[in-house]
Amino acid sequence: MKVFNEEKVKNTYQMSDAINDIEQLFTDMDGISLAQRTVIPTGEGAKSMLYMPCVHTGRQLGIVKITSITPDNPQNGRPTTQGNIIVTDLETGEHVVSMDGSYLTRLRTGALSGIATKYLSRENATTLGMIGTGGMAYEQLLANIEVRDIERVILFNRTVDKAEDFKARVLAAFPNLSVEVVDDVKKLVEQADIINCQTQSSEPVFDADTVQPGTHINGIGSYRPDMKEIDNRILPKADKVYFDDFEGVKEEAGEIIEANEKGIFKFEDVDGDLKALSLNGQLQRTDDDSITVFKCVGAAYFDLAVALGAYERLIQQ
């Protein structure tokens, strides 16, 4: 078995690759078989283990991703999320590659937001508002920059110092961007063309009443029924609402589950999933004043897309 660390994967596989590979997989889903993600709480709050298996019989390759989420880790100099992906050759049953899955998880989650932004946000969107500047944030930034001509980034984080650190990282990589840290999330919401939420909050991180006409919202942080980062009162106001994976959202997206239970927004009111959005290939907005929402919880076939994409590039080197 070959082993590839995060540095090697990073140097080989980028955001544009992830977006392309996920969209390509949508055209070739017949051979995919997967089990629903297993999330096992291992402590208070978001602390948990996640197990995600998926195979593609057409390509005769399969993966299993194992991820740990340990929110207290940054205090000890370790990452919150750590992952590993095993690739298996289905013809021989041999486990051919083990590669660091943390970067690929961040990359594929960013790519999902990027695809949603590509087809749901205004084409002239230039201001990105980011709520949460933790471990998943940077790849969310990369994805939005990949599909829209972002000129300005507004950051909000409960811990301002972390937002300032993130700002420094962004400016080091993209010195031509205008980057601002705000201490009131309302300021961000009122100015952003695209709002990207990447938190593990158990309550909404913005007020739906402050969302401006024409805004697109990506919610990628909450992945358990007790997590509710999006103010679900925005859902009935939205012109379009898309999920990454319908069954996953029904089981895991706390704000959508709550909206369904309260009759604010029923599951069947959704306009479609990310596959349908991508295969349609057209901007899905009624007009520039429309509000659009994308909710993401992740599914193993997204990990399959980026894992196999990275695997095929790595073994060719």
Side-chain angles (χ1 to χ4, degrees), residues 1-138:
M1 177 188 289
K2 294 183 178 180
V3 178
F4 298 107
N5 62 20
E6 180 170 311
E7 181 180 3
K8 182 66 174 178
V9 179
K10 271 187 175 181
N11 291 336
T12 305
Y13 195 73
Q14 309 297 323
M15 181 57 71
S16 59
D17 301 319
I19 290 175
N20 290 335
D21 286 342
I22 290 172
E23 291 210 80
Q24 183 60 41
L25 186 73
F26 287 142
T27 70
D28 181 29
M29 297 274 289
D30 289 344
I32 290 178
S33 179
L34 73 161
Q36 192 64 38
R37 175 173 65 180
T38 299
V39 180
I40 303 176
T42 57
E44 295 183 358
K47 191 176 183 185
S48 54
M49 289 292 299
L50 289 72
Y51 301 88
M52 304 175 72
C54 187
V55 301
H56 196 308
T57 55
R59 296 168 72 174
Q60 283 295 287
L61 290 167
I63 68 155
V64 61
K65 184 178 79 170
I66 304 170
T67 301
S68 62
I69 299 176
T70 314
D72 291 339
N73 264 0
Q75 301 172 23
N76 301 309
R78 292 189 291 267
T80 298
T81 302
Q82 299 174 76
N84 190 262
I85 295 174
I86 305 297
V87 179
T88 301
D89 182 331
L90 300 182
E91 292 184 357
T92 65
E94 180 185 2
H95 307 308
V96 290
V97 162
S98 171
M99 53 186 158
D100 187 282
S102 299
Y103 167 69
L104 286 177
T105 298
R106 300 193 304 270
L107 200 71
R108 69 91 160 130
T109 309
L112 299 179
S113 292
I115 294 167
T117 295
K118 177 180 176 181
Y119 296 116
L120 290 174
S121 73
R122 300 195 322 270
E123 290 182 295
N124 63 352
T126 58
T127 299
L128 171 65
M130 303 190 70
I131 303 176
T133 58
M136 300 295 285
Y138 191 71

Side-chain angles (χ1 to χ4, degrees), residues 16-299:
S16 59
D17 301 319
I19 290 175
N20 290 335
D21 286 342
I22 290 172
E23 291 210 80
Q24 183 60 41
L25 186 73
F26 287 142
T27 70
D28 181 29
M29 297 274 289
D30 289 344
I32 290 178
S33 179
L34 73 161
Q36 192 64 38
R37 175 173 65 180
T38 299
V39 180
I40 303 176
T42 57
E44 295 183 358
K47 191 176 183 185
S48 54
M49 289 292 299
L50 289 72
Y51 301 88
M52 304 175 72
C54 187
V55 301
H56 196 308
T57 55
R59 296 168 72 174
Q60 283 295 287
L61 290 167
I63 68 155
V64 61
K65 184 178 79 170
I66 304 170
T67 301
S68 62
I69 299 176
T70 314
D72 291 339
N73 264 0
Q75 301 172 23
N76 301 309
R78 292 189 291 267
T80 298
T81 302
Q82 299 174 76
N84 190 262
I85 295 174
I86 305 297
V87 179
T88 301
D89 182 331
L90 300 182
E91 292 184 357
T92 65
E94 180 185 2
H95 307 308
V96 290
V97 162
S98 171
M99 53 186 158
D100 187 282
S102 299
Y103 167 69
L104 286 177
T105 298
R106 300 193 304 270
L107 200 71
R108 69 91 160 130
T109 309
L112 299 179
S113 292
I115 294 167
T117 295
K118 177 180 176 181
Y119 296 116
L120 290 174
S121 73
R122 300 195 322 270
E123 290 182 295
N124 63 352
T126 58
T127 299
L128 171 65
M130 303 190 70
I131 303 176
T133 58
M136 300 295 285
Y138 191 71
E139 283 72 23
Q140 295 293 315
L141 172 79
L142 294 180
N144 281 285
I145 289 175
E146 184 72 30
V147 300
R148 286 291 180 265
D149 293 325
I150 300 299
E151 299 173 357
R152 182 184 181 204
V153 179
I154 307 172
L155 306 174
F156 175 83
N157 195 76
R158 288 184 304 172
T159 306
V160 176
D161 287 348
K162 290 184 179 179
E164 292 289 353
D165 290 344
F166 187 79
K167 173 183 175 178
R169 180 183 181 187
V170 172
L171 287 175
F174 302 98
N176 293 328
L177 282 179
S178 170
V179 185
E180 175 187 2
V181 174
V182 296
D183 58 5
D184 184 350
V185 74
K186 183 180 178 182
K187 297 177 184 177
L188 179 154
V189 173
E190 290 179 339
Q191 298 178 68
D193 301 319
I194 301 163
I195 299 173
N196 229 99
C197 304
Q198 46 278 328
T199 76
Q200 297 172 352
S201 179
S202 59
E203 56 187 37
V205 295
F206 65 85
D207 184 340
D209 294 334
T210 63
V211 175
Q212 301 299 299
T215 302
H216 170 62
I217 300 167
N218 291 317
I220 67 98
S222 57
Y223 54 89
R224 288 186 353 205
D226 59 322
M227 296 178 177
K228 302 165 186 174
E229 69 176 354
I230 290 178
D231 184 344
N232 54 31
R233 294 181 302 127
I234 197 63
L235 299 173
K237 300 179 182 180
D239 177 58
K240 302 289 183 183
V241 178
Y242 279 82
F243 300 156
D244 66 331
D245 178 76
F246 186 77
E247 293 304 319
V249 167
K250 285 178 65 177
E251 294 292 327
E252 299 172 359
E255 58 268 89
I256 310 296
I257 294 169
E258 180 185 69
N260 181 73
E261 291 173 347
K262 292 184 175 180
I264 297 171
F265 181 89
K266 306 299 286 185
F267 289 130
E268 55 267 26
D269 294 333
V270 69
D271 290 282
D273 61 12
L274 198 63
K275 175 185 175 183
L277 189 63
S278 173
L279 291 178
N280 180 280
Q282 301 294 319
L283 190 68
Q284 296 297 299
R285 299 183 66 85
T286 301
D287 53 47
D288 279 352
D289 287 336
S290 298
I291 292 171
T292 54
V293 177
F294 170 64
K295 177 58 197 171
C296 168
V297 295

